[in-house]
Amino acid sequence: INIVVPEVPKVTAKVPEVPQISYIKSSENSKTNEEILREVTAKKVIKFSNHVAPVRKEIKDSADKVTLVGDIKNGKVTAYLQAPLRTPDEVQATLESAGFKVLSTFKVDKKGFVNSVVFTNDDLIKLASKKGRGFAASLHVTVDKKNSIISITNPVYVLAAFMQNEYDEKVALKTLATLRDAFKNLKNSNEVLKFRIIGRYQFMAGMPKYGDMQVIKELPSATLLANARKYKKVIHEQKLLNGSTIMGIKLSKRTTRFIKKTGYQNAGLLPYPVLIENNKVKILDPKYYIAIMYPMLKMSQFMTIATVPGAINKDIDKVFR
């Protein structure tokens, strides 16, 4: 069998030529596109826009606005009003003369370097007698012998933090004015926050806010109160108009040592506030409460007291067993 394999046909193809661009003149006096392009390129200058990104400016008060100690200034407010050192007895007498009710005078540390005077009045109690707002019922004066000052919690700051969207400017400013009249030579502390962020304050992303309260115990309120009163850890107790009760609880000596690292000047945050409401013992998360009362606290300082929030929970749990 003979098989004939055909040959592959040969293809002859020419390489196509690249077409040349021809420029068409509309008239004898017209320039070609090539000539126009050459002229424009020679004259072209790169121009930069004079547009700049807007600068975020802090809120500035008008020049004629008068701001006093404790007021919101340029959008910021101080956490504390400071004055020269006085004795706890002198502080108590001044507060009572101004119409405040002193709930307790508490020696924070064993050596008496720091005393905390807790006080309230009818306006604060009425304002705090709302669900979840009991922590706004009292203010504190820190008598700090270490730094030879007293530090009074600014009602504008505290009520903005603890009343949240129910903040009452009228009550805050009225209380502030009373304190200014009672304590002379007051000045703002260097510990400030922007007023607009106080209500949603958290130390950093992922950390608790005001609403992240911890429930320590859940029993009938009468039982909770009876259990707490058995201990000598209850420094003061204040009934609110809605039936809730706010207490100041003494922490253990070991737990209280954290003020040596965070600073004596704000140690008036103790005794630790506890709210008994709707058959529950509630506290502000220590990671929030310490941070809001020490607004200038640095991360490095916070890390040195990392075990303190857990210790606070255990101390308070013991009182309500």
Side-chain angles (χ1 to χ4, degrees), residues 81 94-95 98 100 119 139-141 152-155 172-184 186:
L81 317 171
T94 301
L95 289 169
F100 292 104
F119 65 98
L139 299 172
H140 298 240
V141 181
I152 309 168
T153 46
N154 185 357
L173 293 179
K174 179 183 176 183
T175 308
L176 174 59
T178 304
L179 289 170
R180 278 198 298 249
D181 290 340
F183 293 89
K184 304 303 180 183
L186 285 176

Side-chain angles (χ1 to χ4, degrees), residues 18 21 30 37 87 96-97 109 166 296:
V18 178
I21 300 175
S30 298
L37 180 62
T87 67
E96 290 175 341
S97 297
D109 67 324
E166 295 179 284
M296 295 294 102

Side-chain angles (χ1 to χ4, degrees), residues 15-32:
V15 177
E17 296 180 358
V18 178
Q20 298 297 316
I21 300 175
S22 298
Y23 297 99
I24 302 173
K25 291 186 178 182
S26 60
S27 68
E28 290 299 324
N29 296 325
S30 298
K31 295 180 180 180
T32 65

Side-chain angles (χ1 to χ4, degrees), residues 287-299:
K287 294 177 183 177
Y288 165 81
Y289 183 58
I290 294 173
I292 195 69
M293 301 308 285
Y294 283 90
M296 295 294 102
L297 193 67
K298 298 177 180 178
M299 175 58 78

Side-chain angles (χ1 to χ4, degrees), residues 80-298:
Y80 297 94
L81 317 171
Q82 295 181 340
L85 183 65
R86 301 186 186 189
T87 67
D89 288 343
E90 289 173 334
V91 169
Q92 180 171 340
T94 301
L95 289 169
E96 290 175 341
S97 297
F100 292 104
K101 174 185 176 183
V102 174
L103 298 177
S104 65
T105 298
F106 171 65
K107 185 183 292 186
V108 177
D109 67 324
K110 185 178 180 181
K111 294 182 179 180
F113 286 132
V114 183
N115 286 265
S116 175
V117 182
V118 186
F119 65 98
T120 188
N121 64 12
D122 292 341
D123 288 338
L124 293 174
I125 291 173
K126 182 179 179 180
L127 194 63
S129 295
K130 298 178 181 180
K131 185 178 179 181
R133 304 291 184 245
F135 297 103
S138 59
L139 299 172
H140 298 240
V141 181
T142 306
V143 179
D144 177 13
K145 293 182 181 179
K146 277 280 187 180
N147 297 296
S148 297
I149 59 170
I150 62 169
S151 290
I152 309 168
T153 46
N154 185 357
V156 174
Y157 181 93
V158 171
L159 295 183
F162 297 164
M163 289 304 298
Q164 301 282 289
N165 59 354
E166 295 179 284
Y167 172 72
D168 191 318
E169 182 183 49
K170 183 178 179 180
V171 172
L173 293 179
K174 179 183 176 183
T175 308
L176 174 59
T178 304
L179 289 170
R180 278 198 298 249
D181 290 340
F183 293 89
K184 304 303 180 183
N185 301 316
L186 285 176
K187 66 176 184 178
N188 290 328
S189 73
N190 294 325
E191 298 173 86
V192 299
L193 282 180
K194 292 179 181 178
F195 181 78
R196 61 183 175 83
I197 72 167
I198 294 176
R200 51 187 170 85
Y201 177 80
Q202 57 184 155
F203 184 71
M204 60 181 293
M207 295 283 271
K209 298 182 180 180
Y210 176 84
D212 299 320
M213 298 179 191
Q214 296 185 4
V215 177
I216 301 297
K217 190 74 66 178
E218 191 168 356
L219 287 171
S221 292
T223 302
L224 293 170
L225 288 167
N227 290 346
R229 289 165 183 160
K230 294 177 183 177
Y231 292 84
K232 295 181 180 179
K233 299 290 185 179
V234 179
I235 303 302
H236 63 255
E237 178 181 333
Q238 176 63 52
K239 197 81 171 178
L240 303 180
L241 302 180
N242 63 349
S244 300
T245 301
I246 190 79
M247 286 182 165
I249 302 297
K250 180 181 179 180
L251 302 178
S252 68
K253 292 180 182 178
R254 183 173 183 178
T255 304
T256 305
R257 289 175 188 166
F258 77 88
I259 64 171
K260 293 182 179 179
K261 298 177 180 179
T262 54
Y264 284 92
Q265 74 281 359
N266 300 348
L269 82 168
L270 300 176
Y272 206 91
V274 173
L275 178 64
I276 299 177
E277 182 177 63
N278 296 330
N279 303 320
K280 295 178 181 178
V281 176
K282 299 178 182 178
I283 65 169
L284 295 171
D285 191 301
K287 294 177 183 177
Y288 165 81
Y289 183 58
I290 294 173
I292 195 69
M293 301 308 285
Y294 283 90
M296 295 294 102
L297 193 67
K298 298 177 180 178

